[in-house]
Amino acid sequence: MKVTAIPAFRDNYVWAVHDDHTAILVDPGDAAPILAWLETRHIHPVAILVTHHHADHVGGIREITSQHDMPVYGPALETIPGRTHPLLGGETVLIDELGLAFQVLASPGHTLGHLCYVGHGALFCGDTLFSCGCGRLFEGTPAQMHASLSRIKALPADTLIYPAHEYTLANLDFALEVEPDNASLHKRLAEVRGLRSHGRPSLPVSLSTEIATNPFLRFDEPSITVAAAQHAGHPVQPGLATFATVRAWKDGH
């Protein structure tokens, strides 16, 4: 299984899961760069996986499916253009052309119907989890996002994380404000600066790296709880309360 980032808009990635002939497209927000990528490589798309309804994730579906007939998998609880297979979480999506199977994880928080797709050592998580960050709570609650991130955190540590945005450098700035003495964060910052200086994505990233560096996955760590309490000006319990405090802190940036 190959996974290629197709840049879209200012900082989106459309992930193409492919071999030399066939591809799955994840969150195709902009048709033009996707169709150009497919045509240049003579690759035929066979399925679309959608994580949530925001325009920068679904805006290219109609144009792409007008040229390539294929199933569109997406959240049942959201309005997804061209969706053929509504999903709630708990299903398995089988892509026979590539011999791949993805488990569907419900991950409400950023939106109420948000889904993630996990399989073959990869997690396509849309706007639920970013490297060193997580999505804003546009529709869901801190409790919902905390539960969603806890489910992701329980995946195998070597799972490769494929978020939908290149937000890592900005997220690292905030993570270092929360946890300035975290050596893993300083190592990750140097790595990402090197990648971005050469125009390369900072993604994918292993879940183990995120557990060591992402303040939104480290809600049980004493260092994060202490930082959250200092920011809030009152004691904060580990877990959900720490997560909610850090998310509100980030929202103020």
Side-chain angles (χ1 to χ4, degrees):
M1 184 180 81
K2 302 176 184 177
V3 183
T4 299
I6 304 173
F9 306 115
R10 184 170 63 88
D11 52 34
N12 282 69
Y13 291 133
V14 178
W15 296 109
V17 183
H18 64 99
D19 56 19
D20 293 329
H21 310 285
T22 306
I24 304 164
L25 304 172
V26 184
D27 283 350
D30 187 6
I34 299 165
L35 292 170
W37 185 89
L38 294 167
E39 182 177 358
T40 299
R41 290 158 182 79
H42 306 288
I43 290 177
H44 178 68
V46 294
I48 289 172
L49 305 180
V50 178
T51 62
H52 66 292
H53 66 87
H54 288 161
D56 60 321
H57 295 253
V58 303
I61 293 174
R62 293 288 193 191
E63 185 175 347
I64 294 167
T65 55
S66 72
Q67 300 185 33
H68 302 278
D69 184 29
M70 69 188 115
V72 178
Y73 299 87
L77 300 179
E78 300 184 358
T79 301
I80 307 296
R83 184 190 57 213
T84 60
H85 291 66
L87 304 168
L88 289 168
E91 304 91 345
T92 300
V93 174
L94 300 173
I95 310 297
D96 292 335
E97 294 89 342
L98 284 162
L100 300 177
F102 294 95
Q103 301 300 311
V104 183
L105 300 182
S107 55
H110 180 67
T111 66
L112 290 178
H114 200 294
L115 302 175
C116 298
Y117 301 87
V118 62
H120 309 279
L123 174 75
F124 299 95
C125 51
D127 288 0
T128 293
L129 179 68
F130 303 123
S131 185
C132 293
C134 76
R136 285 182 178 270
L137 305 182
F138 286 122
E139 298 174 13
T141 65
Q144 286 176 314
M145 184 64 101
H146 174 260
S148 296
L149 293 173
S150 296
R151 283 192 286 273
I152 291 173
K153 190 176 178 180
L155 293 172
D158 60 353
T159 302
L160 291 179
I161 309 299
Y162 292 87
H165 290 274
E166 182 58 71
Y167 288 163
T168 312
L169 279 175
N171 287 340
L172 277 161
D173 285 344
F174 175 72
L176 282 163
E177 182 177 340
V178 176
E179 205 175 15
D181 297 327
N182 184 334
S184 295
L185 270 173
H186 290 279
K187 179 181 177 182
R188 178 69 171 144
L189 178 62
E191 174 187 57
V192 172
R193 281 177 172 167
L195 290 168
R196 299 305 293 150
S197 70
H198 291 93
R200 295 170 58 191
S202 66
L203 307 166
V205 58
S206 71
L207 179 58
S208 60
T209 296
E210 288 304 298
I211 290 172
T213 59
N214 191 325
F216 298 103
L217 292 181
R218 292 171 59 77
F219 38 72
D220 291 322
E221 292 294 325
S223 56
I224 301 293
T225 298
V226 167
Q230 289 175 343
H231 177 76
H234 57 75
V236 175
Q237 292 298 310
L240 172 57
T242 292
F243 169 78
T245 301
V246 175
R247 183 62 261 181
W249 185 356
K250 180 69 160 63
D251 290 342
H253 272 237

